[in-house]
Amino acid sequence: MTEQRLQALDLLKSLGITVDVDAFERDGCGIVRGFATAEECDEMRQSMKTLVENWDPKEVTVFRTDGKQSEAQGSSDYFLDSANCIGFFLEPMAKDEALGTLKAGLSKHEGLNKVGHGLHVQDPVFRKYSSSPKVAALAHALGWVDPVLPQSMYIFKQPRIGGEVTSHQDSTFLFTEPRQTCLGLWLSLETATQENGCVWGRPGSHREPVRRAFCRNPDWFEKGKRDVPQMIFRMEDEASLEKVHWEGAMPQGSSPKEGIKNAGFVPLECQKGDLVLIHGQVDHLSLANTSGASRHTFQLHLVEGPSAGVQWSKNNWLQYPHGESFPSLKVTSH
Ligand code: FE2
């Protein structure tokens, strides 16, 4: 183990945080208990409440992960422009399609699916957590050498209307070259159980290749066509895709839960402050929230930076404005 990794583990230990590195390397997913304090979680929830109160939903945009994902996110400037800004995205069920507004009877706070993708750049509270030494130490402890942070998202998983997130590998959306280096840090801001839609992971699937890449469509971006989607899925590994028929969908069974269990997924249930580690190639998903309890999470996605010999793909949807780079995670940033 490198000196950088040992020092990172020591720093985490001094904060009372234990990371099972062996289990993460074996499974590609796992839980770091008590990673954030209750105060940190409450501060982020309060900050989000204020951001939503100040949001003027003149034009509402829906976020989806089903078969219409390419269509929905693939034709939206608002989505592309949210890369390093604070964008607000509704649950599909919360939009009045005829009027293009929030459905009557729903408040702004009740209809949101997520806010992203630059909270770690734009908001002081989310930036403080994202740039904290313990986040950088966690990345180093798991073997990342030069972690940089392209993306953050606050997910609401609203009571009763919080939709499912179909099975996917995060590297599909956060592609790096010449190798995949994405790591998701999924922080539970409140209890996440099977009842309110916790995340499920398929242990060991991180050793399988990335099957699809969500890419900028050259017909739109280079040839100037406007009758095509902005974003398209490029097949990276067709043979593997045939075996994993739940990619971009859900494993089928006599019930949703039985289907995903039979496919090898396990529930990753959390208490407030726990953090789920999600390797960029591990299959993961979450079921709809049919309970009366929300399931707020703050999620970071990091990748290796140039010092580790890794490049962010120019085909990814998420690109910062020219001249701006992803924040670098450093243990000594504070
Ligand atoms: Fe994900």
Side-chain angles (χ1 to χ4, degrees):
M1 200 172 270
T2 63
E3 190 63 23
Q4 188 184 44
R5 288 184 82 170
L6 291 170
Q7 280 178 2
L9 283 165
D10 277 351
L11 187 141
L12 293 169
K13 201 169 157 194
S14 73
L15 297 170
I17 298 166
T18 306
V19 183
D20 191 339
V21 174
D22 292 339
F24 175 74
E25 289 181 350
R26 182 191 65 222
D27 297 335
C29 53
I31 300 174
V32 181
R33 300 286 174 194
F35 184 73
T37 63
E39 292 72 30
E40 284 176 305
C41 295
D42 292 343
E43 194 182 17
M44 285 189 258
R45 289 198 63 169
Q46 184 55 46
S47 185
M48 181 49 63
K49 200 168 161 216
T50 307
L51 285 169
V52 177
E53 273 160 15
N54 293 334
W55 168 50
D56 179 6
K58 279 192 215 89
E59 196 180 309
V60 294
T61 307
V62 166
F63 185 77
R64 57 197 318 153
T65 69
D66 57 12
K68 293 183 178 168
Q69 182 167 24
S70 174
E71 200 179 301
Q73 270 67 67
S75 56
S76 159
D77 284 334
Y78 186 79
F79 181 71
L80 288 184
D81 291 345
S82 73
N84 70 336
C85 299
I86 301 178
F88 298 80
F89 299 90
L90 287 187
E91 284 290 342
M93 283 170 71
K95 185 178 177 184
D96 185 320
E97 288 297 341
L99 299 173
T101 58
L102 256 176
K103 260 187 194 159
L106 268 185
S107 76
K108 291 192 290 185
H109 294 272
E110 293 167 315
L112 280 165
N113 169 293
K114 76 167 169 181
V115 173
H117 295 84
L119 285 162
H120 64 296
V121 178
Q122 303 291 351
D123 181 86
V125 168
F126 292 101
R127 189 167 57 232
K128 182 172 70 174
Y129 164 76
S130 308
S131 63
S132 65
K134 70 179 172 186
V135 168
L138 182 56
H140 286 317
L142 294 169
W144 270 254
V145 174
D146 176 31
V148 297
L149 200 49
Q151 171 177 288
S152 57
M153 305 188 288
Y154 190 106
I155 310 270
F156 297 85
K157 203 76 161 178
Q158 303 284 4
R160 288 173 287 276
I161 66 163
E164 67 182 21
V165 173
T166 59
S167 181
H168 63 283
Q169 299 167 299
D170 285 337
S171 289
T172 288
F173 305 93
L174 300 118
F175 207 82
T176 55
E177 291 157 349
R179 59 191 170 90
Q180 299 313 316
T181 59
C182 175
L183 172 66
L185 306 178
W186 193 105
L187 177 66
S188 222
L189 298 176
E190 57 186 335
T191 304
T193 64
Q194 293 183 51
E195 282 65 50
N196 66 348
C198 70
V199 67
W200 294 63
R202 188 162 74 90
S205 55
H206 62 307
R207 285 188 286 273
E208 298 171 17
V210 173
R211 304 179 200 102
R212 306 184 298 168
F214 191 59
C215 292
R216 289 180 172 235
N217 185 352
D219 282 346
W220 175 289
F221 287 94
E222 288 161 30
K223 295 182 188 160
K225 290 189 184 170
R226 287 298 175 263
D227 57 347
V228 294
Q230 283 178 335
M231 301 301 301
I232 49 173
F233 283 105
R234 184 181 72 203
M235 299 308 146
E236 292 296 301
D237 194 312
E238 303 248 5
S240 169
L241 199 53
E242 262 171 45
K243 277 184 241 156
V244 179
H245 48 82
W246 54 78
E247 173 84 26
M250 287 292 193
Q252 296 301 303
S254 60
S255 70
K257 211 166 272 184
E258 194 226 86
I260 62 179
K261 277 186 179 167
N262 287 346
F265 288 81
V266 299
L268 297 159
E269 295 185 305
C270 289
Q271 295 301 310
K272 177 177 176 176
D274 292 348
L275 182 142
V276 183
L277 300 168
I278 304 177
H279 185 287
Q281 277 155 263
V282 89
D283 286 354
H284 59 287
L285 54 82
S286 64
L287 294 172
N289 181 5
T290 53
S291 81
S294 60
R295 194 227 62 189
H296 290 202
T297 58
F298 182 55
Q299 305 176 18
L300 299 175
H301 287 103
L302 59 88
V303 296
E304 283 285 25
S307 304
V310 172
Q311 302 298 323
W312 182 248
S313 172
K314 289 186 169 56
N315 293 321
N316 286 332
W317 78 264
L318 186 150
Q319 305 289 338
Y320 281 11
H322 186 67
E324 291 181 32
S325 50
F326 303 146
S328 182
L329 296 182
K330 297 206 185 323
V331 172
T332 53
S333 62
H334 281 235

